Amino acid sequence: MDIVERFLNYTKINTTTSRENGAAGIMPSNPAELELAKLIKSELENMGVTDISLSEKSILIAKIPANTDKKVPSVAFFAHLDTSAEQKNDTKAKVVKYEGGDICLNKELEIYLKQSEFSELKNYIGDDIIVTDGTSLLGADDKAAIASIMNAAQYFMQNPQIKHGEIVICFVPDEEQGLRGAKALDVSLLGADFGYCLDCCGIGEFIYENWNAGDAVINFKGQSAHPMNAKGKLVNSLLLAHKFISLLPNGEAPEYTDGKEGYFWVKELSGNSAKTILKLDIREFDEKKYKERMAFLQNLADGLNKIWDNRIEITLTNRYKNVFNYLKDGENSLPIIVAKEAFKNLGITPVILPMRGGYDGSIISEKGVACPNLFTGAHNFHSIYEYLPVKSLRASSEVIKQIITLVSNK
């Protein structure tokens, strides 16, 4: 099956993540994620893959055994089954020949993918591009990854003369709401030495640094009193929360930072004069600086409690870690070296970016399988303007093939 046909088939199954079901602890949050996983399982079986497991939570693990006598690392490739909740409509994907200018996605609704807004379109003049009809996401995040991995699997199953180590394939549900599938994954079932997620954007993008991410929930306890005799009695928890916020460092917020600059994000404030809850996100690339940020919040709360008679309760939790923390040799780690060499062999210029966010590899790496992030080739994730150049999709799968071949020769 051609990779484009494979991808288009996957987009026909609507796997929009359900935040409601996710909040209720249901996995997969959308039953269609299991439907897609079952389709993938049958495709792997038709290829001749025999070592496949699929859990009721829609975690699929398949292994293509090594066909070489050499002892080479086992490499895993990961993607997620769900698509983001921004749009819930069924995907009506189509392939268009891009000749430049704007692309009409939906004439009736006057929806256009405009070159003036998405200047990178100029890079794909003369190429085939997969788009939607403008009423849904395309779902290349992350079905392009699934198609890319499955295309590579088909290649090695059809060409047993090409020597390789063990290839592990893993698809998980509900990445789009807190990396839930990766958190539920038992990595001991993989047996992989390292792996790669495919969950980033344009051709050449390669990510092996992301946030160390934490959460703070801070409860402020006030003292109610009627305003007619409130003097000396009323303690307004809303004002306590505002005072706390005012003591955060100036300029260290998402709207003032980029690159590897960390921040505190005042994300939610709710309550009344008696009780107020403040929620913060803490983000930092450097692990030491991340710990310092968490300690700053704890020390701030402790100091104010001495003044305010213990009216603050603070809970600090880690959400996910920077993948780079788990690459033992840093820039010289085998997963990084091999990926860069694969790019070079294919004439692809690496675009190495720090991810100001997290992905499944953040959790999988912390569990013991270091997992950088490779491109799928798509653009405009989480948007009706999401699109996927066909050449980029094919290049994504070629990178996987190169990595597997290179690892077998190390």
Side-chain angles (χ1 to χ4, degrees), residues 76-79 170-172 175 179 181-187 190 192 194-197 320-321 323 326 359-372:
F77 296 90
F78 301 90
C170 183
F171 301 133
V172 297
E175 186 270 352
L179 315 178
K183 290 175 180 177
L185 174 66
D186 181 355
V187 298
L190 302 173
F194 60 89
Y196 299 91
C197 280
Y320 52 79
K321 297 291 186 68
V323 167
Y326 304 98
Y359 64 100
D360 281 334
S362 312
I363 302 298
I364 295 165
S365 296
E366 189 174 358
K367 289 184 174 185
V369 180
C371 195

Side-chain angles (χ1 to χ4, degrees), residues 200-398:
C200 58
C201 304
I203 185 169
E205 288 195 11
F206 183 35
I207 290 167
Y208 47 84
E209 292 188 80
N210 61 280
W211 288 130
N212 292 291
D215 305 307
V217 178
I218 308 165
N219 289 280
F220 298 87
K221 296 176 288 183
Q223 177 63 53
S224 296
H226 195 284
M228 67 185 297
N229 59 355
K231 186 174 182 179
K233 300 175 182 177
L234 175 66
V235 178
N236 191 329
S237 71
L238 284 165
L239 296 181
L240 297 182
H242 279 279
K243 180 63 176 177
F244 188 99
I245 293 169
S246 74
L247 295 172
L248 297 176
N250 289 331
E252 295 183 13
E255 59 268 37
Y256 303 120
T257 57
D258 61 9
K260 291 188 178 182
E261 297 173 327
Y263 59 70
F264 297 105
W265 183 12
V266 178
K267 198 169 185 180
E268 185 178 326
L269 183 66
S270 60
N272 51 39
S273 62
K275 181 180 180 181
T276 297
I277 299 175
L278 170 64
K279 295 183 179 180
L280 300 175
D281 280 2
I282 302 92
R283 299 290 186 268
E284 190 64 69
F285 281 90
D286 181 86
E287 190 170 21
K288 181 183 176 186
K289 290 181 179 179
Y290 169 72
K291 290 178 180 177
E292 289 172 351
R293 285 190 181 275
M294 297 292 267
F296 172 85
L297 293 176
Q298 184 66 61
N299 292 337
L300 180 57
D302 291 345
L304 291 174
N305 268 333
K306 293 177 182 178
I307 301 171
W308 294 342
D309 297 325
N310 295 312
R311 293 189 177 277
I312 300 176
E313 292 180 356
I314 183 168
T315 302
L316 298 170
T317 56
N318 299 316
R319 186 180 296 185
Y320 52 79
K321 297 291 186 68
N322 187 345
V323 167
F324 198 72
N325 298 343
Y326 304 98
L327 292 164
K328 295 179 181 179
D329 297 319
E331 296 279 349
N332 294 318
S333 296
L334 184 60
I336 295 178
I337 291 172
V338 169
K340 288 180 177 178
E341 189 173 344
F343 282 29
K344 180 180 178 181
N345 290 349
L346 294 168
I348 298 171
T349 302
V351 181
I352 298 169
L353 298 171
M355 177 181 277
R356 290 175 66 85
Y359 64 100
D360 281 334
S362 312
I363 302 298
I364 295 165
S365 296
E366 189 174 358
K367 289 184 174 185
V369 180
C371 195
N373 195 355
L374 299 169
F375 71 90
T376 62
H379 293 264
N380 301 337
F381 284 5
H382 297 199
S383 164
I384 61 170
Y385 301 110
E386 185 181 11
Y387 69 91
L388 175 61
V390 169
K391 284 185 179 179
S392 299
L393 174 61
R394 296 191 189 281
S396 173
S397 194
E398 291 302 316

